[in-house]
Amino acid sequence: MPADIPVASTGTPSGVPARRGIPGSVATIALLLPSYAWLLLAVFLPLCTMFVFSFMNATPMGKTPIVFTLKHYQAFYTQPYLVKIAWDSLLMGFWATLSCAILGFFAALALARATTGRVRETLLILILLPFWTNGLVRVFSWTMVLREGGFLDMLLHSVLPDAGSIGFLYTRPAIVLGLVHGYLPYMILTCYIALVTIDDSILEAAESLGARWWTILGKILVPLALPGLTTGAVLTFVPVIGAFMEPRILGGRVGVTMGTVIEDQFTQAFNWPLGAALSFTMLAVVLAIFATFSGVLRRNSGAAA
Amino acid sequence: MIKTTRRQTLGLMGAGALAASPLSFGASTARAATKITVLNWQGYGTDEKWALEKFKAKTGIEVVHDYFSSEPEMLTKLRTNPGAYDVVLINSARTQQAANEGLIVPVDFAGVPNSANLSPELKDHANLKFGGKTFGVAWVWGITSLAIREGDKKPESYAALADPAFKGKVALFDDAVTGVAIGALLSGQDMNNPSDLKAVGDKLKGFKDNVKLLWSSEDQWNKSFAAKEFDLSVYWSGAAVRSKRNSKLPVEFVVPKEGGIGWLDNLCVPASAPNAKAALDFINYMIDPDFYFEWATKVGAPASASAAAMEKLPADDLNRVIHKQAYLKTMTIQSALPDDRREAFNNLWQEVKASYAG
């Protein structure tokens, strides 16, 4: 799902003129078909399978007779501690997305406004570079930085030898830090695409009319970059809610999230139906959140226009 | 998960397997070319090249292998390929299921003379019995119990996990069955079928202030222990041997008074085995102290079920020091879990973990 958004924003060649006699609509369909067929096969079918699984009493691999049941959807009711875990996961997703949005917006602003040509290209590559290394490696390297007596402490003690430890491995902030590191590039790229299209003359006009930098930021840059921020927030929030690697490695005892609970159902407990039911419940919650916010956003952008 | 990690490690060590020095065998009882097929995890003892060459020189029996990567896969292979296998490795928690389905036959111990050396607690364990008969030859075993930093006071009970002296210095194994087992042993219940799950949960939740992290791989354990993140942990006996021997970590393995959480792997003969006699010869060789000595000292192995084999190891061998014969008396071996009980264990463990996070 996240993959198709940048594709759509770069524009599908639906307006290609049909010079050789092929009708435009046929060309459009022919060009769209492969990606939609692939999405159907790779996203929709597995999702449907999991949806069916979520109503079964046991994982359909073995000798247990399969009976259809709704009991897994009552998990939040019969196991009330799950509600707390879900709430914590949503909060964590909120903090991670907010941090990404603030850091990502300003990084993108610097890239789009203060750099040109080669420097800009190099900086963009440097932002993408962490994406080329394995996520697990990145998370594990954070454990070396954050643990007591890790690099962070070494750095502090080289300045203040008597200071205590500031290592915060195995805490919620450590998880959020790992998640922000992992998903920040999405936010920078989407904000960058939105910011780079803003016409310089608009900003010049604002400046010549005496607008201060915060007015330009609040009245021009943020509203015009809002589509990028929203896309970035969606691309960050959804995977962060389901993340299990970062909480598990950086969270220690507090690293229990919906992601780890669901992963446990698939890998340890071999209870795929419960895992699937929990996933779909979370999906519903996330969609409800987006539905609420998209209404708010649309009203705001409507007022601006 | 435990099994895979353990075996993968063994497999890695086995990759560097070496040719053993030739030992003298008695009169070679070479028979006409017999071939048997063994079904096991890859790199788990039975497929050591040097051992198979020696066995062939001694008996004339050629051994080939087929592998499985999960226990359900092993059962499926037995069910769907009758006549294909002569020896199969089965975890004792699955032996009764296999016997009940008629996949394996009772062992004729007359054909396995080395079985006289097997520790009786393992040889006659209830898990291997079905309908009054023994269906497997106990082969190797291990314990999950406590590991503590050298120099700290050795815990006498699992209650140490809740001792304020270890505040923020405890690591638990992130596994529902192991977690519930510890809670059950601590509340005086049968770990394979605790009647009061709430008491189990309360005991486990009592560790909250002490728990620093939940580990899920041996590598993670070693790194965190080396970084002094915890001093007391639930750990595997075999992994303790490796942490001490290979990573030189100052760790001591302790089995408290409640006893350890044990596992036992046994070798069985399928009901459809084409060469049951040769299969027993091979099993006999697998519990031979000479074979075990080579395997344990040159490649690395879990503890042998054969008391004689363990005694053959040097007195200071870590494998022997950690797997004390006395532990067999107090150890509870994991049994098969029905699906509903497994689900209840998993849900309880999630609840306990949520309480740690809260």
Side-chain angles (χ1 to χ4, degrees), chain A residues 75-158:
Chain A
F76 277 94
Y77 176 71
T78 54
Q79 297 159 48
Y81 61 90
L82 286 174
V83 177
K84 169 108 181 39
I85 296 179
W87 176 243
D88 286 347
S89 305
L90 290 174
L91 270 186
M92 221 168 55
F94 171 76
W95 286 117
T97 310
L98 186 71
S99 315
C100 276
I102 294 171
L103 291 172
F105 179 81
F106 285 108
L109 190 62
L111 273 177
R113 293 282 132 213
T115 62
T116 48
R118 270 229 116 78
V119 181
R120 183 187 283 185
E121 279 167 28
T122 317
L123 287 174
L124 261 179
I125 294 282
L126 283 177
I127 283 166
L128 289 174
L129 212 59
F131 257 174
W132 299 349
T133 49
N134 183 300
L136 198 63
V137 174
R138 282 185 274 156
V139 177
F140 264 113
S141 38
W142 273 117
T143 66
M144 287 193 281
V145 176
L146 298 180
R147 70 170 31 129
E148 272 176 49
F151 294 145
L152 197 64
D153 275 4
M154 274 164 61
L155 212 66
L156 175 76
H157 292 164
S158 64

Side-chain angles (χ1 to χ4, degrees), chain A residues 57 63-64 71-72 79 81 84-85 147-148 169-170 172 248 252-256 260-261 264-265 267-269 271 274, chain B residues 1 79 101 174-176 208-209 211-214 220 223-224 227 229 339 342-343 346-347 350-351 353-354 356-358:
Chain A
N57 63 325
K63 295 198 304 174
T64 332
K71 73 169 177 178
H72 298 301
Q79 297 159 48
Y81 61 90
K84 169 108 181 39
I85 296 179
R147 70 170 31 129
E148 272 176 49
L169 187 61
Y170 307 135
R172 289 234 165 79
R248 200 152 273 200
R253 159 188 114 170
V254 299
V256 181
T260 65
V261 171
D264 277 350
Q265 296 310 323
T267 56
Q268 280 203 10
N271 193 346
L274 180 57
Chain B
M1 279 187 93
R79 285 183 201 119
E101 288 186 37
D174 188 2
D175 174 70
K208 179 175 174 177
D209 289 339
V211 175
K212 176 89 171 185
L213 84 155
L214 299 156
Q220 187 193 6
K223 288 204 175 86
S224 302
E229 286 176 354
D339 287 342
R342 185 176 287 275
E343 191 176 331
N346 279 309
N347 289 345
Q350 290 297 346
E351 187 183 333
K353 284 203 284 183
Y356 291 158

Side-chain angles (χ1 to χ4, degrees), chain B residues 153 158-168 170 206-207 209-210 232:
Chain B
K153 191 171 160 287
Y158 288 112
L161 292 168
D163 185 343
F166 291 106
K167 190 168 164 50
V170 163
F207 303 159
D209 289 339
N210 286 1
L232 176 66

Side-chain angles (χ1 to χ4, degrees), chain B residues 28-275:
Chain B
S28 176
T29 52
R31 279 179 222 114
T34 317
K35 194 160 136 184
I36 60 168
T37 308
V38 177
L39 181 62
N40 192 359
W41 305 90
Q42 190 156 14
Y44 195 43
T46 60
D47 54 358
E48 293 295 334
K49 198 160 167 274
W50 51 270
L52 299 187
E53 279 164 7
K54 244 188 237 182
F55 180 67
K56 192 177 180 191
K58 189 179 168 188
T59 61
I61 300 170
E62 190 188 342
V63 182
V64 293
H65 273 78
D66 189 10
Y67 300 108
F68 57 85
S69 52
S70 74
E71 287 175 0
E73 185 192 343
M74 175 267 297
L75 290 173
T76 308
K77 284 195 162 178
L78 281 183
R79 285 183 201 119
T80 52
N81 305 335
Y85 307 109
D86 300 279
V87 176
V88 57
L89 174 113
I90 303 185
N91 183 290
S92 69
R94 303 260 182 190
T95 308
Q96 287 173 345
Q97 187 190 352
N100 185 30
E101 288 186 37
L103 296 173
I104 50 176
V105 287
V107 177
D108 173 15
F109 280 101
V112 192
N114 283 332
S115 64
N117 294 324
L118 292 178
S119 304
E121 295 90 348
L122 300 173
K123 184 188 172 203
D124 303 320
H125 195 273
N127 277 4
L128 306 183
K129 304 247 180 193
F130 184 76
K133 293 187 174 126
T134 309
F135 277 75
V137 180
W139 183 41
V140 288
W141 60 280
I143 304 185
T144 305
S145 198
L146 295 177
I148 189 155
R149 193 172 293 279
E150 269 176 5
D152 283 9
K153 191 171 160 287
K154 285 193 191 179
E156 284 168 9
S157 158
Y158 288 112
L161 292 168
D163 185 343
F166 291 106
K167 190 168 164 50
K169 285 291 180 188
V170 163
L172 297 180
F173 175 36
D174 188 2
D175 174 70
V177 177
T178 309
V180 171
I182 286 170
L185 291 172
L186 203 45
S187 55
Q189 304 187 67
D190 173 10
M191 68 172 217
N192 287 312
N193 190 11
S195 49
D196 185 358
L197 274 181
K198 188 174 175 307
V200 171
D202 290 344
K203 285 285 179 195
L204 292 173
K205 286 175 190 170
F207 303 159
K208 179 175 174 177
D209 289 339
N210 286 1
V211 175
K212 176 89 171 185
L213 84 155
L214 299 156
W215 60 274
S216 47
S217 77
E218 204 175 313
D219 178 66
Q220 187 193 6
W221 193 95
N222 284 331
K223 288 204 175 86
S224 302
F225 188 78
K228 297 198 170 61
E229 286 176 354
F230 60 87
D231 293 328
L232 176 66
S233 171
V234 173
Y235 205 31
W236 306 323
S237 57
V241 172
R242 290 187 288 273
S243 294
K244 214 172 153 80
R245 184 187 282 159
N246 308 341
S247 311
K248 310 272 181 261
L249 291 172
V251 54
E252 207 159 350
F253 191 77
V254 186
V255 174
K257 64 179 186 218
E258 293 92 349
I261 302 154
W263 56 267
L264 171 65
D265 278 344
N266 58 123
L267 295 167
C268 307
V269 180
S272 58
N275 277 308

